[in-house]
PDB file of all heavy atoms in Angstrom:
ATOM      1  N   ALA A 173     177.204  65.306  86.928  1.00  0.00           N
ATOM      2  CA  ALA A 173     177.570  65.368  88.305  1.00  0.00           C
ATOM      3  C   ALA A 173     176.312  65.404  89.129  1.00  0.00           C
ATOM      4  O   ALA A 173     175.272  66.090  88.876  1.00  0.00           O
ATOM      5  CB  ALA A 173     178.504  66.615  88.511  1.00  0.00           C
ATOM      6  N   ARG A 181     166.888  71.558 106.958  1.00  0.00           N
ATOM      7  CA  ARG A 181     166.649  72.837 107.667  1.00  0.00           C
ATOM      8  C   ARG A 181     166.331  72.497 109.152  1.00  0.00           C
ATOM      9  O   ARG A 181     165.491  71.636 109.497  1.00  0.00           O
ATOM     10  CB  ARG A 181     165.448  73.647 107.112  1.00  0.00           C
ATOM     11  CG  ARG A 181     165.825  74.360 105.743  1.00  0.00           C
ATOM     12  CD  ARG A 181     164.540  75.165 105.318  1.00  0.00           C
ATOM     13  NE  ARG A 181     164.877  75.876 104.174  1.00  0.00           N
ATOM     14  CZ  ARG A 181     163.995  76.785 103.584  1.00  0.00           C
ATOM     15  NH1 ARG A 181     162.810  76.860 104.187  1.00  0.00           N
ATOM     16  NH2 ARG A 181     164.249  77.360 102.420  1.00  0.00           N
ATOM     17  N   ALA A 198     145.886  89.457 124.081  1.00  0.00           N
ATOM     18  CA  ALA A 198     144.645  89.323 123.338  1.00  0.00           C
ATOM     19  C   ALA A 198     143.392  89.129 124.315  1.00  0.00           C
ATOM     20  O   ALA A 198     142.418  89.739 124.130  1.00  0.00           O
ATOM     21  CB  ALA A 198     144.683  88.265 122.370  1.00  0.00           C
ATOM     22  N   LEU A 212     143.194  84.428 133.983  1.00  0.00           N
ATOM     23  CA  LEU A 212     144.015  84.331 132.773  1.00  0.00           C
ATOM     24  C   LEU A 212     144.525  82.823 132.680  1.00  0.00           C
ATOM     25  O   LEU A 212     144.585  82.127 131.690  1.00  0.00           O
ATOM     26  CB  LEU A 212     145.077  85.258 132.723  1.00  0.00           C
ATOM     27  CG  LEU A 212     144.711  86.710 132.323  1.00  0.00           C
ATOM     28  CD1 LEU A 212     145.789  87.711 132.643  1.00  0.00           C
ATOM     29  CD2 LEU A 212     144.235  86.718 130.780  1.00  0.00           C
ATOM     30  N   ALA A 229     156.644  90.922 133.408  1.00  0.00           N
ATOM     31  CA  ALA A 229     157.520  91.516 132.425  1.00  0.00           C
ATOM     32  C   ALA A 229     156.690  92.398 131.575  1.00  0.00           C
ATOM     33  O   ALA A 229     157.315  93.576 131.231  1.00  0.00           O
ATOM     34  CB  ALA A 229     157.984  90.270 131.510  1.00  0.00           C
ATOM     35  N   ARG A 276     133.153 117.804 110.831  1.00  0.00           N
ATOM     36  CA  ARG A 276     132.712 118.283 112.134  1.00  0.00           C
ATOM     37  C   ARG A 276     132.057 119.713 111.982  1.00  0.00           C
ATOM     38  O   ARG A 276     131.018 119.911 112.565  1.00  0.00           O
ATOM     39  CB  ARG A 276     133.902 118.378 113.039  1.00  0.00           C
ATOM     40  CG  ARG A 276     133.662 118.803 114.470  1.00  0.00           C
ATOM     41  CD  ARG A 276     134.073 120.314 114.630  1.00  0.00           C
ATOM     42  NE  ARG A 276     135.148 120.893 113.875  1.00  0.00           N
ATOM     43  CZ  ARG A 276     136.394 120.843 114.224  1.00  0.00           C
ATOM     44  NH1 ARG A 276     136.875 120.233 115.378  1.00  0.00           N
ATOM     45  NH2 ARG A 276     137.295 121.404 113.377  1.00  0.00           N
ATOM     46  N   GLU A 376     121.286 103.507 121.662  1.00  0.00           N
ATOM     47  CA  GLU A 376     121.473 102.119 121.925  1.00  0.00           C
ATOM     48  C   GLU A 376     122.732 101.817 122.609  1.00  0.00           C
ATOM     49  O   GLU A 376     122.812 100.755 123.383  1.00  0.00           O
ATOM     50  CB  GLU A 376     121.386 101.342 120.662  1.00  0.00           C
ATOM     51  CG  GLU A 376     120.047 101.417 119.843  1.00  0.00           C
ATOM     52  CD  GLU A 376     120.270 101.079 118.377  1.00  0.00           C
ATOM     53  OE1 GLU A 376     120.832  99.978 118.149  1.00  0.00           O
ATOM     54  OE2 GLU A 376     119.731 101.764 117.529  1.00  0.00           O
ATOM     55  N   GLU A 421     129.431 111.289 102.169  1.00  0.00           N
ATOM     56  CA  GLU A 421     130.197 112.123 101.200  1.00  0.00           C
ATOM     57  C   GLU A 421     131.710 112.168 101.718  1.00  0.00           C
ATOM     58  O   GLU A 421     132.676 111.986 100.962  1.00  0.00           O
ATOM     59  CB  GLU A 421     129.712 113.574 100.974  1.00  0.00           C
ATOM     60  CG  GLU A 421     128.334 113.483 100.218  1.00  0.00           C
ATOM     61  CD  GLU A 421     127.801 114.891  99.953  1.00  0.00           C
ATOM     62  OE1 GLU A 421     128.337 115.879 100.537  1.00  0.00           O
ATOM     63  OE2 GLU A 421     126.729 115.091  99.345  1.00  0.00           O
TER      64      GLU A 421
END
Side-chain angles (χ1 to χ4, degrees):
R181 284 185 178 180
L212 287 164
R276 182 260 328 271
E376 296 161 46
E421 290 178 1

